[in-house]
Amino acid sequence: MQMKPFRIGTRGSPLALAQAYEARDRLMQAHGLGADMFEIVVLSTKGDRITDRALAEIGGKGLFTEELEAQLASGELDFAVHSSKDMPTTLPDGLTLSTFLPRADPRDAFIGKTAGRLIDLPHGAVVGSASLRRQALIRKLRPDIEVIIFRGSVQTRLDKLNAGDVDGTFLAFAGLARLGLADRATQVLDVNDFPPAPAQGAICIEQREDDERIASLLARINDPDTFDAVTCERAYLAVLDGSCRTPIAGHATISGDHLRFSGMILTPDGTICHEVATEGPRRDAARIGREAGTELRRRAGPGFLDGWS
């Protein structure tokens, strides 16, 4: 019997904390445990501390997970809660993403100051985004717009927008909703027009591979539909060597035993893009994702991906 609290690792941003508490609350309900059986452990990551440069310049997605994974591997944490889209496709030896909570809305939200929709912004407007995918899609739709790097927490970016630093910015709608800020979105973009990042909207839980006790604890809150959809998306991303240097979009949906996937890769300026759409049995989620990534590599041709770094 567990006598001491389970230690849950998380970053310290309001959104990361909201996600950690959602995981805790689901575990409390699933197992009939009190809040005293869980301890939220907040760690600062390099990705949180350095906000004036693009992620690609300072090491990519792993900068949001290194400190958490080090304590997870050492046994100081029992498990860690992450935004799935922030997770590198290759994890440290001995760690695994075992659990995904039910996925929230995967769409991107535009928050406009001078216009409510991206298409209505004036010529030469400035939009802030840290995501190469969003930057490329913005330039694809509105090549006249200036796009600048815009990092920081959700509230930090909203504060910069309110101060007039930019005319608009993009955030994951799921993140806004989890913070009670869904009404700040002035436009929620259709996934067909503005495809999301792989795994966007999904909360994942990382644990030690050999810890059967924690695996049993977490199994009750795993959502199979989200697990299979994100498995497909991460397999696709892995084939494309997805990092913060590459504009890549991908989205899988589950209907019964069937999975549908669509993906897109772009040049950073948004002028060239290649798309793929495929489907198949959900039991083949990883294979479908890998094959979609391989097909996009074939369509793009040699050097297309390499030229982005």
Side-chain angles (χ1 to χ4, degrees), residues 236-257:
Y236 156 81
L237 193 61
V239 169
L240 296 172
D241 193 25
S243 71
C244 291
R245 298 178 182 273
T246 51
I248 299 173
H251 182 226
T253 58
I254 302 291
S255 178
D257 293 328

Side-chain angles (χ1 to χ4, degrees), residues 54 56-57 132-133 135-137 139 198 236-237 239-249 263-275 293 296-297 299-309:
E57 296 179 15
L132 283 187
R133 173 189 59 87
Q135 291 173 11
L137 288 168
R139 291 172 177 138
Y236 156 81
L237 193 61
V239 169
L240 296 172
D241 193 25
S243 71
C244 291
R245 298 178 182 273
T246 51
I248 299 173
M264 177 189 291
I265 55 175
L266 307 91
T267 51
D269 62 6
T271 58
I272 303 172
C273 74
H274 297 279
E275 299 179 67
L296 277 188
R297 274 191 171 275
R299 293 182 188 181
F304 186 87
L305 292 162
D306 299 338
W308 301 349
S309 57

Side-chain angles (χ1 to χ4, degrees), residues 92-96 207-212 215:
D93 289 344
L95 300 183
T96 185
Q207 65 160 94
R208 291 178 294 278
E209 280 183 322
D210 60 358
D211 195 330
E212 295 182 5

Side-chain angles (χ1 to χ4, degrees), residues 125-305:
V126 179
V127 174
S129 176
S131 159
L132 283 187
R133 173 189 59 87
R134 289 176 182 146
Q135 291 173 11
L137 288 168
I138 293 164
R139 291 172 177 138
K140 179 176 182 288
L141 295 171
R142 287 291 306 271
D144 61 299
I145 283 179
E146 180 184 356
V147 184
I148 65 171
I149 295 172
F150 212 54
R151 290 196 56 219
S153 70
V154 170
Q155 193 57 57
T156 296
R157 284 182 270 181
L158 291 177
D159 289 344
K160 290 180 180 179
L161 174 66
N162 292 337
D165 292 4
V166 293
D167 295 292
T169 188
F170 281 84
L171 292 164
F173 185 67
L176 286 173
R178 287 180 178 127
L179 292 172
L181 298 171
D183 60 349
R184 292 299 305 272
T186 57
Q187 180 187 15
V188 182
L189 290 98
D190 188 277
V191 294
N192 296 314
D193 301 324
F194 208 91
Q200 185 159 300
I203 297 170
C204 66
I205 303 180
E206 187 177 22
Q207 65 160 94
R208 291 178 294 278
E209 280 183 322
D210 60 358
D211 195 330
E212 295 182 5
R213 178 180 62 100
I214 295 300
S216 177
L217 176 82
L218 297 176
R220 289 196 194 178
I221 64 168
N222 180 59
D223 182 69
D225 286 358
T226 304
F227 188 98
D228 288 346
V230 176
T231 293
C232 177
E233 293 166 20
R234 284 177 55 80
Y236 156 81
L237 193 61
V239 169
L240 296 172
D241 193 25
S243 71
C244 291
R245 298 178 182 273
T246 51
I248 299 173
H251 182 226
T253 58
I254 302 291
S255 178
D257 293 328
H258 201 70
L259 180 149
R260 289 183 173 84
F261 175 81
S262 60
M264 177 189 291
I265 55 175
L266 307 91
T267 51
D269 62 6
T271 58
I272 303 172
C273 74
H274 297 279
E275 299 179 67
V276 66
T278 186
E279 57 187 285
R282 65 185 292 172
R283 66 177 180 273
D284 295 333
R287 177 187 62 77
I288 292 168
R290 287 193 300 269
E291 290 180 355
T294 301
E295 175 61 16
L296 277 188
R297 274 191 171 275
R298 185 194 67 77
R299 293 182 188 181
F304 186 87
L305 292 162

Side-chain angles (χ1 to χ4, degrees), residues 70-114:
Q71 291 206 12
L72 186 56
S74 70
E76 294 172 80
L77 296 174
D78 290 302
F79 51 93
V81 179
H82 307 281
S83 292
S84 300
K85 70 183 180 66
D86 290 339
M87 297 302 293
T89 54
T90 301
L91 302 179
D93 289 344
L95 300 183
T96 185
L97 301 183
S98 67
T99 306
F100 292 87
L101 305 188
R103 191 178 206 164
D105 193 322
R107 294 177 296 172
D108 280 300
F110 176 67
I111 305 97
K113 184 173 177 64
T114 56

